[in-house]
């Protein structure tokens, strides 16, 4: 999209902002600013953020500690401040058009400038400000000085070269001590595993993501085992993994009737002269008695247990 001939360059627009607004922009572009994402705008990689993330950042405790910045009390004031910053082109509203072919996961999104520049919490805004150039200039100068110093090392004074040699030896000794400490703590842990109920780590935070001094505190600690996952609860006194098959009530009564008929010489149950007709399948012609109801309840409980999957808790 071609810009008008009388359009103000981005750099010139940013210079017109007053000191308080520049301090706000420095905060938003710093480490406490809104989370940025990587995108591609006009073939270049850029950083962009969402509007509601910037509002949340302006209401954070880190912003409240700043000095020489506008005081914000609620979301409306934070939104008004973002609207006030928009004309200075520190960031501009951009859209994410849908791609004809879905890009692979992790690929930067393609962006394009929105035709109307306004602030909305659900919209995306691309940074056109990379922070103060002072740090970039100082970093570049430091790299040049270090490279020249390394190339011209043979021309250094003898005392200075000896000092650098001692310094390098000291760094190597520190690295060696760190490796030895790691080996010793591992050996001590192996000994305590075999001789004690609970193993002990020396400097348990040595390899944790903490500060330098916190890596050596505390001096030792027990090796706490990982918590095991709880076993699945039993349903009706039986674990879900076990399946219980209970004979049906009619089947039990048929077996009892056959046993009694064989011992007393009476016709077996189910014959034309028998008082009770039952089949081995548990289907009865006569109304079910109280014992039959209890047996049917047990049968339904067993069927309920069988229907439970192993994944359910």
């Amino acid at each position: 999209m071609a810009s008008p001939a009388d359009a103000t360059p981005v750099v010139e627009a940013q210079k017109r902002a007053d000191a308080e607004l520049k301090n706000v922009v420095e905060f938003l572009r710093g480490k406490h600013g809104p989370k940025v994402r990587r995108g591609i705008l006009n073939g270049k990689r850029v950083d962009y953020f969402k509007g509601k993330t910037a509002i949340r950042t302006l209401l954070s405790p880190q912003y409240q500690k700043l000095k020489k910045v506008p005081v914000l009390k609620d979301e409306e004031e934070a939104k008004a401040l973002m609207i006030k910053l928009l004309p200075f082109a520190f960031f501009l509203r951009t859209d994410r058009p849908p791609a004809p072919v879905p890009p692979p996961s992790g690929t930067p999104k393609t962006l394009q400038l929105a035709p109307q520049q306004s602030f909305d919490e659900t919209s995306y805004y691309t940074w056109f400000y990379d922070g103060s150039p002072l740090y970039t200039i100082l970093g570049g100068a430091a790299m040049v000085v270090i490279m020249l110093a390394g190339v011209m090392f043979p021309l250094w004074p003898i005392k200075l070269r000896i000092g650098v040699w001692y310094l390098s030896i000291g760094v190597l000794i520190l690295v060696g001590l760190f490796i030895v400490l790691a080996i010793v703590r591992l050996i001590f842990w192996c000994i305590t595993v075999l001789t004690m109920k609970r193993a002990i780590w020396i400097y348990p935070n040595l390899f944790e993501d903490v500060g330098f001094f916190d890596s050596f505190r505390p001096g030792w600690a027990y090796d706490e085992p990982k918590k095991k996952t709880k076993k699945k609860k039993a349903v009706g006194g039986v674990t879900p993994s076990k399946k219980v098959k209970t004979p049906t009530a009619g089947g039990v009564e048929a077996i009892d009737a056959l046993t009694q008929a064989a011992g007393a010489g009476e016709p077996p149950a189910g014959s034309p002269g028998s008082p009770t007709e039952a089949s081995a399948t548990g289907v009865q012609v006569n109304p079910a008695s109280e014992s039959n109801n209890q047996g049917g309840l047990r049968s339904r409980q067993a069927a309920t247990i069988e229907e439970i999957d192993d994944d359910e808790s």
Side-chain angles (χ1 to χ4, degrees):
M1 181 177 64
S3 59
D6 57 348
T8 304
V10 173
V11 178
E12 294 297 330
Q14 294 175 359
K15 290 181 179 179
R16 297 177 182 177
D18 56 16
E20 286 189 352
L21 296 181
K22 288 183 179 179
N23 292 336
V24 175
V25 173
E26 291 289 344
F27 170 77
L28 293 175
R29 198 67 172 109
K31 62 180 181 178
H32 296 297
K35 181 181 179 181
V36 296
R37 310 177 188 181
R38 300 293 292 177
I40 298 177
L41 179 64
N42 296 332
K44 297 181 179 179
R45 289 181 176 268
V46 293
D47 296 336
Y48 68 98
F49 60 93
K50 202 167 186 178
K52 65 179 181 180
T53 310
I55 296 296
R56 193 182 307 117
T57 304
L58 292 176
L59 299 176
S60 63
Q62 289 81 5
Y63 179 84
Q64 303 300 327
K65 298 178 182 178
L66 296 179
K67 298 180 180 179
K68 297 182 179 181
V69 293
V71 179
L72 303 178
K73 298 180 180 179
D74 52 19
E75 293 186 4
E76 294 299 329
E77 293 184 357
K79 186 176 180 179
L81 180 58
M82 293 296 293
I83 296 174
K84 190 176 181 180
L85 288 172
L86 193 58
F88 297 101
F90 290 104
F91 50 84
L92 294 176
R93 180 176 177 177
T94 52
D95 298 329
R96 295 196 310 187
V101 179
S105 179
T107 304
K109 303 290 185 180
T110 303
L111 307 174
Q112 63 180 13
L113 284 175
Q116 294 182 353
Q117 292 297 320
S118 59
F119 184 78
D120 185 11
E121 296 182 3
T122 60
S123 301
Y124 297 97
Y125 297 86
T126 300
W127 280 109
F128 286 85
Y129 178 71
D130 295 328
S132 177
L134 178 61
Y135 296 101
T136 304
I137 296 173
L138 293 178
M143 290 182 61
V144 173
V145 171
I146 292 173
M147 292 179 63
L148 289 177
V151 172
M152 300 178 65
F153 181 77
L155 301 179
W156 288 15
I158 296 178
K159 292 183 179 180
L160 189 59
R161 282 185 285 176
I162 293 175
V164 172
W165 182 82
Y166 280 118
L167 182 62
S168 61
I169 294 299
V171 172
L172 290 177
I173 292 174
L174 289 177
V175 174
L177 289 176
F178 185 82
I179 295 174
V180 171
L181 178 60
I183 296 174
V184 169
R185 68 192 292 269
L186 179 60
I187 295 174
F188 186 80
W189 179 84
C190 294
I191 294 174
T192 54
V193 165
L194 300 176
T195 59
M196 300 176 61
K197 295 182 179 180
R198 300 173 64 185
I200 297 176
W201 277 114
I202 300 176
Y203 300 124
N205 295 327
L206 187 63
F207 295 103
E208 298 296 331
D209 186 14
V210 294
F212 177 78
F213 296 101
D214 292 334
S215 299
F216 299 94
R217 292 182 295 195
W220 65 277
Y222 288 109
D223 186 13
E224 298 293 341
K226 296 182 179 180
K227 295 182 179 180
K228 298 181 180 179
T229 57
K230 295 182 179 179
K231 295 182 179 180
K232 300 173 184 177
K233 295 182 180 179
V235 180
V238 182
T239 56
S241 59
K242 295 182 180 179
K243 296 183 179 181
V244 179
K245 294 184 179 180
T246 306
T248 59
V252 173
E253 291 183 355
I255 295 173
D256 294 339
L258 291 173
T259 304
Q260 293 176 3
E266 298 177 355
S271 62
S274 61
T276 305
E277 296 180 358
S279 63
T281 59
V283 180
Q284 297 181 356
V285 178
N286 297 333
S289 62
E290 183 179 358
S291 61
N292 293 343
N293 294 335
Q294 295 177 356
L297 178 60
R298 290 195 299 269
S299 176
R300 289 194 297 272
Q301 290 178 350
T304 304
I305 295 172
E306 291 179 1
E307 292 171 359
I308 296 176
D309 296 332
D310 293 342
D311 294 336
E312 296 179 358
S313 57

